[in-house]
Amino acid sequence: MTAWGGVLNLKFPARGFWPDEMRNWHITHLELEAVYKTVQAFLQELEGKVVRLYCDNQAVVAMLSHFTSRNPDLMRRMRRLWLLLDLHDIELQARYIRSEANVWADNLSRCEDLDDWRLNRDWFVWANKQWGPYTVDRFASEISAQLPRYYAAWKDPKCEGVDSLTYDWRGENNWVNPPWALLDEAAHKLREEGAAATVVAPYWPGQSWFRELEALATEVVIMPRRRDLFTPSRLGGSELLGPSNTAASKVTVGSKIEVFWKDDDCFYPGVVKEFDEDGKAHVLYDDGDEETLDLSEENFKIINSVSELTDEATDADGENIERISGGDYEEYKRGGAVQNFLTRSLCERWRGELGPSRLTELAVTMQRKALLDTTMSNYGPKARRFILFCEQHQRPWLPASEATVLLYIASLLKDGGIKSASLQPYLSAINNYHEDLRFPGPTKGRSVTRAVKGMATIQAELAVQEENIETQRTWLPAAHVRRVHEAALSLTPRSPEELRLLRAFAYVVVAFVTFGRPDTGTSLSRQHVHCGDSGFSVVLLKEKGRRHQLVKRRLCIPWKGVALLKELIEHWEFHRDTAWNSSEKTQPDAYWLLPEDPKNFKASVANDWIGLALSELDCRPPEGGHFSAHSTRKGATTCARAVGVAMEKVCCFGGWSQFSSAVQHYIDPTTLRDTDMDYYFAWLTWSQ
């Protein structure tokens, strides 16, 4: 056994590796030590509580039940555990559990962590002398930590926190030796927060994170090729498996470098003049001295820009240390705790099966990128909701049973917040994390299918009883939009009420021609709306379900494509700016904001604007329907298809995938083409 693992409340994992001197211990000794370390890891959560401990070793359960053992060494460890429990007022009740049922904790103790590598201690001491003292190790474990303060991927007795990317790095001198799969996120973190750090990273110029770190770096040190450069924690901290380093081969004739002279304890600058037959570099120092060196055995810095010395299409093995300074970066958001755990567990599973290699890391990276996709990232909160339900009802969530899912559906029906038509993503979230972690999906049985149908029937019956049947959302006809367009151009606002009406008119037209959603149109900023000589363009942000990406769609509409669109935009912007100039307030960046408005809009405000514009002109929906903010999106899609716009263009403007079936729900195939539709969308057929 190479590691220990424990889980608190079927939710929070703890884990660590055994050092070399403990790996040959008897299994009973290791199991008892694992209990001690797990209690240590969760000491804050367990203090003052009665704790039920499930262990798959019967001998350990017997010892914990009677707190005695014939073995002197085990008895010493029992006393140490008893003292810890007594000091923190913890009552421990041990229960036996079969290994087959102890899935999570057992898996934690058996899976290897291929990401936890420790830099040679001598090199760390040297770096700490150069740029330290460092205050915290951001990616480490109990074995690999270089500093007393460290953050780990899993909870352990000594770590300061779990998943350092969720913490603030500012105000610390950070030692950053991350798993290679997290280098992208670490680089984003440094740019976002402007934290000081020394980063250990492979010399791979072809990677996107390499260019980002290069842009941030104030100093680059190429480390020599040594077998003892790194130590993997999974091997107990002694066996040395440093990857080969060919970074020195990236130095060419004419490269400016600085070579470290150990006796003088400093770097001396020079230029590589030539290489001899053995591949050694002839270095001419700035002070006139000359020397022939094997750079693979030397500690040196490259003064040239790294990108000038390398072919970015070629990866190179090896390591370097980079000194990172801060910088501004656009908002970067990460997934929730549940999504992080599922992602980490899945990636670790693949690493354990595929073994350590560059291809393995590429395969794992593909898995991680897939889990950051729009749909997958949305499963995190839905999975968390199910997990919380299981905890409240004291039912296991991994693996969950079909009966648990049935109870969950019943609770959703009782709460009344989710309709049966919207239930599928919640069930898919449960299935996804089960199947990714190699458990059967519990939502695929016939009982669950019948439960969903029954939920729909019950909700329909309740709606009839309460006379609360909703009218159908209908699409907005182009004829209504054209009336709004003409009314806006003829309106000269002379009061705040009339200015708000003009805004409502302008919003309806802009939302219609850009296929906009309510949560994109109302949140537009001035910097994302551009009126040039040739046309109108708008960048739509915060697209529903894709909020982890900043820029979603740039739509460009030529002025000659939609008649009088330019006049409408200029008319609205002129009166809006006039209102701000006459007020004493500072004009914000929000495109639709007026001086009397609150600072931020709710997405539902689009419903109010559309209702105001259409009611002013007495534009009514068909019987049994109603207009909402989504009507502009459905109307634009339906009208564009009726005009004959290719589905590829409709999907492009609407933000759908070309292979998505969702767009079909926005199209009324019975609609006949008319001149008002041509007025707004015929230009999209010009190049077809």
Side-chain angles (χ1 to χ4, degrees), residues 395-443:
R395 302 185 71 91
W397 61 272
L398 186 67
S401 65
E402 189 175 29
T404 301
V405 175
L406 293 177
L407 290 177
Y408 179 58
I409 295 174
S411 73
L412 295 178
L413 175 61
K414 181 181 178 182
D415 294 341
I418 298 174
K419 296 182 180 179
S420 60
S422 304
L423 186 61
Q424 188 55 47
Y426 292 83
L427 301 181
S428 297
I430 301 171
N431 263 347
N432 267 28
Y433 80 73
H434 273 77
E435 292 175 356
D436 283 342
L437 299 177
R438 294 204 167 174
F439 291 100
T443 69

Side-chain angles (χ1 to χ4, degrees), residues 453-469:
K453 292 181 179 179
M455 180 179 180
T457 303
I458 293 173
Q459 288 180 336
E461 292 174 350
L462 291 174
V464 172
Q465 293 173 5
E466 298 173 4
E467 297 182 352
N468 191 29
I469 301 177

Side-chain angles (χ1 to χ4, degrees), residues 517-551:
R517 292 183 178 182
D519 59 348
T520 56
T522 58
S523 60
L524 284 178
S525 64
R526 294 168 184 262
Q527 61 180 328
H528 298 134
V529 177
H530 305 279
C531 297
D533 296 334
S534 59
F536 168 76
S537 66
V538 56
V539 176
L540 298 183
L541 302 180
K542 297 183 180 178
E543 187 78 21
K544 184 178 180 182
R546 302 183 183 180
R547 296 184 179 179
H548 61 284
Q549 299 178 11
L550 288 180
V551 177

